[in-house]
Amino acid sequence: MDDIKNPEQQINVELSEEVAEGVYSNLAMIAHSNSEFVIDFIRLMPGVPKAKVKSRIIVTPDHAKRLLAALKDNIEKYEAAFGKINQGGGAPSFPISFGTPGEA
């Protein structure tokens, strides 16, 4: 019997110009159910009474855990190259009123 090897899968990813421009966010709110994690990326600006959700990403619990590991790995690499990230004392200091748990 021949030894069958699974070739490493390669995913071809398309990135449109519009998506490649990115969206600025300085606050993330995270909520979850038993089947998904919902991450709202928000732009909060000083002096503006209403913050706007700029993007909502919904992922499975399994993918959320992989995302956490990937972020941890990238932060470690970033800090090794550029120095420790200063968290600046936590949450933004302008008034925030959201009913969803889990700020980042």
Side-chain angles (χ1 to χ4, degrees):
M1 184 168 157
D2 290 332
D3 195 20
I4 300 173
K5 294 181 181 177
N6 287 337
E8 194 173 311
Q9 285 188 338
Q10 196 171 24
I11 299 173
N12 194 4
V13 177
E14 182 180 327
L15 182 63
S16 71
E17 265 187 59
E18 181 183 357
V19 173
E21 288 179 11
V23 175
Y24 178 75
S25 169
N26 57 1
L27 180 67
M29 304 293 286
I30 303 169
H32 67 276
S33 70
N34 65 333
S35 60
E36 62 198 16
F37 279 75
V38 178
I39 309 165
D40 286 333
F41 291 94
I42 300 161
R43 184 178 306 158
L44 182 64
M45 301 304 287
V48 179
K50 187 183 271 187
K52 291 188 178 182
V53 173
K54 302 309 280 183
S55 184
R56 172 173 277 184
I57 306 297
I58 303 167
V59 297
T60 63
D62 181 57
H63 185 70
K65 197 157 192 178
R66 287 193 309 270
L67 177 61
L68 175 64
L71 278 170
K72 182 179 182 298
D73 180 57
N74 275 268
I75 288 170
E76 288 170 358
K77 289 175 181 172
Y78 176 95
E79 289 184 331
F82 303 108
K84 189 152 179 67
I85 298 170
N86 182 2
Q87 291 185 313
S93 59
F94 11 106
I96 311 174
S97 165
F98 295 109
T100 342
E103 288 182 19

